[in-house]
Amino acid sequence: MTETEPRTAFTVRRSDFPEGFVFATATSAYQIEGHAFGGAGRTHWDSFSEQPGKVARGENGAVACDHYHRWEEDLDLIAQAGFDGYRFSTSWARVMPDGETVNPEGLDFYDRLVDGMLARGLKPMATMYHWELPETLARRGGWTSREIPERFAEFTRTVADRIGDRLWSVAPVNEPWCVAWLSHYLGQHAPGLTDLGAAAKAMHHVCLAHGLSAQALRAAGVGNVGAVCNMEWALPASDSPEDAAAADLYDAIYSRWFASAFNKGVYPEIVLDGLAPHMPANWQDDMAAIAQPLDWFGINYYTCSRVVRTGGEWPALDTVPGPLPKTEMGWEIAPEGLGVLLRRTAQDYTGDLPIYVTENGLAHDDHDLRPDHGRIDYLDRHLAVARDAIADGVPLAGYTIWSLLDNYEWALGYDKRFGLVHVDFDTQARTPKASYHGLARALAE
Ligand code: FCB
């Protein structure tokens, strides 16, 4: 087999990783549960999907994978693949439909789910917020308002009081870059704003939410608290100095802002150059609360980006398509970037702190049940990079695949299939794909 030939079986196996390395798979609440069930409140994704042109086919998470009713079958699938852990999220609007008042059914659901994981020997790896903001709070300004971090800490406390005693790990916020920049500057996710002023406030408030939530978790006696940040390997699209500078700024906004704030209590200067005029008053006073001591740091990695300098207002940059093979999302397949970001994160931000790959995976053309060899190839190459990073001294302690199930891929609806398990959205039948079976074999070795 030459290096470039697609791999149809995993070459990497569990025994290539250190003893105790955690293999997991991930989902999130709104993407799989079925938000119409169990008394959950409306979220800003429900309203966003109703706005014409925002979400493919106007799809929403009302039914999704009906995991709310099928969670036992889904946990069985995770355990049968040989995973050690399951990264799931708790929906704020399920637990507190209006963002404040508790819905006991919501807490009961997560209670059952966590017990179900423990009964199957799976480590419950919780994320408190994976993007479905209760609509009531969104109407009061959402992430542009300082009220949100404070309410979020209360939500965290409520969840922690109920299930915190059984969680293996907790992260407050999934992918703060998406919560802030993608949703308030690029306009691609709810609430769909393209406003630098709103984005600057969200960039800070999501950090404060992380810090206050981490504090609330500690106060509730919950340990193993971390963070989950998405990172992209930012490459200049040409060898011009302008594109190099644009790529550096892109990297700082995307991959350094949060790593620096959470681990060092400072924001990168080159981002502040553009955001400072729009930041909330006295933001500096929050930096100590943001930089809570963490037990681990998580990186979600999917792709690289090619950055160009554009004219116009700060940040005056854009991305252009690159030459590498692409996934169904149009994302270039660049496993090398995972290694670059793992090494850089350990060296510049986290030191000896355990790092986890908290998401990695791809959308693949799995509309029928042909073997998803492209997924095996993608995962195997990224796992090999993870293994090599450990050999280089990166304290990588686990690797998580996005996702267990085909699910609601946000603005792209149900068409983009990221699952190890195929979901027929008419019948809700689950069918493990070739990648699931291949991985189960690799994890058993
Ligand atoms: C990540 C999200 C996850 C999913 C994958 C494809 O950014 O955390 O919900 O959408 O991308």
Side-chain angles (χ1 to χ4, degrees), residues 163-229:
I163 60 172
D165 56 333
R166 284 155 288 155
L167 298 178
W168 184 76
S169 68
V170 191
V173 179
N174 178 67
E175 300 190 348
W177 177 87
C178 293
V179 173
W181 197 255
L182 185 67
S183 307
H184 297 80
Y185 180 75
L186 296 175
Q188 293 173 20
H189 277 192
L193 303 183
T194 50
D195 174 342
L196 188 63
K201 289 171 188 70
M203 288 286 274
H204 180 66
H205 289 143
V206 74
C207 289
L208 183 59
H210 159 84
L212 297 183
S213 170
Q215 272 177 350
L217 288 164
R218 300 265 186 232
V222 179
N224 210 16
V225 176
V228 171
C229 295

Side-chain angles (χ1 to χ4, degrees), residues 26-28 31 87 130-131 174-175 177-178 182 189 228 230 254 300-302 329 331 358-363 402-403 407-411 416 418:
T27 65
S28 89
Q31 291 177 279
R87 179 170 174 254
H130 198 126
W131 305 354
N174 178 67
E175 300 190 348
W177 177 87
C178 293
L182 185 67
H189 277 192
V228 171
N230 50 324
Y254 201 116
N300 294 358
Y301 178 79
Y302 289 93
M329 297 291 274
W331 296 348
T358 30
E359 282 181 29
N360 177 236
L362 83 165
W402 184 273
S403 177
N407 60 45
Y408 180 64
E409 181 44 40
W410 306 111
K416 300 294 175 220
F418 274 90

Side-chain angles (χ1 to χ4, degrees), residues 119-331:
R120 289 164 181 80
L122 296 168
K123 295 176 162 60
M125 303 159 80
T127 304
M128 294 290 105
Y129 180 81
H130 198 126
W131 305 354
E132 59 284 282
L133 190 68
E135 196 183 41
T136 328
L137 300 181
R139 273 201 238 107
R140 298 212 294 259
W143 287 103
T144 67
S145 158
R146 196 188 170 87
E147 185 195 355
I148 301 303
E150 284 156 13
R151 293 252 173 254
F152 181 59
E154 284 162 30
F155 159 68
T156 302
R157 197 168 307 126
T158 304
V159 174
D161 284 347
R162 182 66 182 269
I163 60 172
D165 56 333
R166 284 155 288 155
L167 298 178
W168 184 76
S169 68
V170 191
V173 179
N174 178 67
E175 300 190 348
W177 177 87
C178 293
V179 173
W181 197 255
L182 185 67
S183 307
H184 297 80
Y185 180 75
L186 296 175
Q188 293 173 20
H189 277 192
L193 303 183
T194 50
D195 174 342
L196 188 63
K201 289 171 188 70
M203 288 286 274
H204 180 66
H205 289 143
V206 74
C207 289
L208 183 59
H210 159 84
L212 297 183
S213 170
Q215 272 177 350
L217 288 164
R218 300 265 186 232
V222 179
N224 210 16
V225 176
V228 171
C229 295
N230 50 324
M231 294 191 177
E232 255 181 38
W233 186 28
L235 299 166
S238 76
D239 49 21
S240 77
E242 292 77 20
D243 289 352
D248 182 52
L249 178 56
Y250 184 93
D251 178 58
I253 296 171
Y254 201 116
S255 304
R256 306 203 306 258
W257 177 268
F258 305 100
S260 176
F262 296 172
N263 293 293
K264 297 183 154 180
V266 290
Y267 290 134
E269 280 300 330
I270 61 166
V271 185
L272 281 175
D273 287 347
L275 294 191
H278 309 283
M279 294 278 278
N282 304 320
W283 60 267
Q284 292 89 340
D285 299 347
D286 296 327
M287 296 315 289
I290 289 170
Q292 290 301 307
L294 296 179
D295 300 304
W296 55 273
F297 191 78
I299 296 176
N300 294 358
Y301 178 79
Y302 289 93
T303 189
C304 64
S305 43
R306 315 274 169 177
V307 189
V308 290
R309 174 62 80 212
T310 59
E313 286 176 7
W314 191 94
L317 54 79
D318 206 349
T319 55
V320 294
L324 297 175
K326 297 181 183 63
T327 72
E328 287 285 298
M329 297 291 274
W331 296 348

